[in-house]
Amino acid sequence: MTWTDGVKNFFSIINATPRMGPLGYIMGSAYSPLVVEKEMPHRNWRDAFEDLLALDTGGNMIPDAHRKAEDAYAAKERYDYTSETISMCNTLLREWEKIENRFEKFCKLTSDIAGNEGNASLGDRIRSMRKQGTENIIAHAKKTQSDYEAVKDTSASSQKSHGQWITSLISSGALPGWYWKEQISVDGPYMGFGRTEAPPELEAGIALTEKELSQQFVGGQPQTIGSPQGLPPYRLQALRDGMIEAPRSRIGPQRLFVPGLSSTLMQTGTTETFKRPDGSRGTKVTIKNQLVNGKMVEKEYLQQPAKVLEEIFNARKSMAHLKSFLVEGAQVDPLDEIDAINQVFDEMFADVEDDSSL
């Protein structure tokens, strides 16, 4: 038996146990919406399954108003990200144009002081840098726009990762009596799902990374399983002690989630259902975010699906930026390279002025 076959066999056994409940069907059945949507992608199997699950647990189908609220938030989130990214790209293109204009101005100032051989060589380097820089920027802008066009008319649920969608089954009230937990690992989001009140003899739920979960539905890839590597403890402590500080980007979406003491380390959430005056089932979601500084921030949402989605998305983005900073190091501000070139020009112009005064 190969390693991949062994992992698949492990999951098939786990998925069939009572501890998994509906999660076993989602992860292990050939009729799981996460499987069927690949074969018939033009229908929203996720929402249909969520409605069936809500009915099966004694509730009502998810109200259209709730789905529309989620869709509106997700659409705004996608639009804002795309707009900010393209705006950042346009800013960088303008800055590269300014650099080439500064070089042309420098050439005019130095035409009577020095030969053109050095300027020509420098000009070739600057034009080459600008060409490569602009090509990368334009390619990034086009991909961002293309990604947006591909999903702009799709539902919020279809855009969620596998783990985020399972989380939303809990937060919507379709899977009452369960909790979700998400924290950072070197391997990406590390999630746990389980029953909030399981008897001692029933080990409830499962914990795995988003990558491990996604591999269950993607063929042709090696399967992985195991406890993920945690964040570097020395860097995390250095961040807490103020010994290291993440640089702030001046442009682009990344500037909104600068790693720091208020970044999210872990998020847990539970759902309580209650009977509303009209007899239907209502949902109260309690979310707890554990921050880098050790504080626990608790929030409650009563029938506010868009707010819950925003809270979950923001926590995941905060954790992703924190993981990137602690594991991979500080991300380079897109303007840093341009600032460095302008600083060189400042020094060159100062030298020219000094030579002219002699």
Side-chain angles (χ1 to χ4, degrees):
M1 179 183 293
T2 67
W3 168 260
T4 296
D5 289 338
V7 173
K8 288 182 177 179
N9 185 56
F10 167 80
F11 275 113
S12 67
I13 295 172
I14 291 295
N15 290 334
T17 60
R19 66 185 272 185
M20 292 295 288
L23 295 189
Y25 183 89
I26 293 171
M27 293 179 59
S29 173
Y31 300 102
S32 165
L34 300 180
V35 175
V36 177
E37 68 182 4
K38 295 191 303 178
E39 302 169 359
M40 292 178 279
H42 301 299
R43 297 191 61 179
N44 194 327
W45 300 101
R46 296 187 181 195
D47 286 354
F49 182 85
E50 185 177 24
D51 284 336
L52 289 174
L53 188 59
L55 291 171
D56 186 59
T57 56
N60 310 99
M61 292 193 300
I62 307 302
D64 286 342
H66 286 198
R67 291 229 167 93
K68 288 179 179 178
E70 268 204 347
D71 289 346
Y73 169 75
K76 180 180 182 301
E77 181 77 5
R78 292 193 296 263
Y79 178 81
D80 288 348
Y81 175 83
T82 303
S83 297
E84 287 199 29
T85 300
I86 292 177
S87 175
M88 174 190 72
C89 291
N90 287 332
T91 297
L92 293 172
L93 290 174
R94 288 193 295 269
E95 292 299 319
W96 275 111
E97 183 179 9
K98 289 178 183 178
I99 283 179
E100 192 158 348
N101 290 339
R102 285 197 76 184
F103 173 71
E104 298 298 336
K105 181 179 179 181
F106 176 78
C107 288
K108 292 179 181 178
L109 287 175
T110 59
S111 59
D112 297 329
I113 299 176
N116 292 328
E117 183 176 342
N119 286 351
S121 176
L122 180 60
D124 290 341
R125 288 173 56 196
I126 290 175
R127 279 185 283 272
S128 175
M129 290 174 65
R130 181 190 177 188
K131 181 175 182 295
Q132 182 178 359
T134 53
E135 286 177 353
N136 292 338
I137 293 166
I138 291 172
H140 182 53
K142 286 183 176 180
K143 185 179 185 307
T144 300
Q145 182 67 34
S146 175
D147 290 345
Y148 173 72
E149 294 294 335
V151 302
K152 69 176 183 179
D153 296 323
T154 59
S155 67
S157 61
S158 64
Q159 291 308 302
K160 295 172 183 174
S161 67
H162 296 118
Q164 286 176 318
W165 180 67
I166 293 176
T167 294
S168 71
L169 294 179
I170 301 172
S171 66
S172 71
L175 199 56
W178 286 69
Y179 69 84
W180 82 84
K181 178 172 67 174
E182 181 171 329
Q183 60 193 87
I184 320 172
S185 77
V186 172
D187 299 322
Y190 183 49
M191 301 166 299
F193 306 103
R195 302 177 193 271
T196 53
E197 296 182 1
E201 67 275 9
L202 179 62
E203 186 181 0
I206 192 171
L208 71 176
T209 65
E210 182 77 68
K211 179 181 177 182
E212 290 168 346
L213 177 58
S214 297
Q215 286 172 345
Q216 310 305 307
F217 308 100
V218 180
Q221 288 190 357
Q223 303 285 297
T224 58
I225 189 171
S227 299
Q229 182 180 350
L231 297 176
Y234 61 93
R235 283 185 62 82
L236 182 59
Q237 191 59 49
L239 181 64
R240 285 175 173 147
D241 295 341
M243 302 299 292
I244 57 174
E245 182 178 354
R248 293 180 176 270
S249 296
R250 288 161 286 172
I251 56 176
Q254 65 268 36
R255 75 183 188 280
L256 302 176
F257 292 91
V258 179
L261 294 178
S262 60
S263 295
T264 303
L265 271 177
M266 181 174 67
Q267 181 182 81
T268 58
T270 58
T271 304
E272 295 179 40
T273 58
F274 60 91
K275 193 172 184 179
R276 295 188 294 186
D278 63 1
S280 62
R281 188 169 72 179
T283 303
K284 182 180 78 170
V285 180
T286 302
I287 296 178
K288 297 179 181 180
N289 292 328
Q290 181 182 337
L291 309 183
V292 171
N293 59 15
K295 293 183 179 179
M296 185 73 75
V297 179
E298 181 174 329
K299 298 180 181 180
E300 292 184 349
Y301 297 97
L302 195 66
Q303 300 291 105
Q304 295 175 286
K307 288 291 185 181
V308 172
L309 181 63
E310 181 178 2
E311 188 71 37
I312 293 171
F313 274 19
N314 284 345
R316 176 166 280 210
K317 285 187 286 188
S318 177
M319 286 189 275
H321 282 259
L322 180 61
K323 174 252 181 181
S324 179
F325 174 64
L326 293 178
V327 176
E328 302 165 13
Q331 299 297 304
V332 177
D333 189 311
L335 290 175
D336 282 350
E337 182 180 19
I338 292 173
D339 285 348
I341 296 173
N342 277 320
Q343 184 176 354
V344 172
F345 271 126
D346 290 341
E347 296 171 358
M348 292 168 62
F349 274 103
D351 291 340
V352 169
E353 291 172 357
D354 290 341
D355 291 341
S356 300
S357 64
L358 295 178

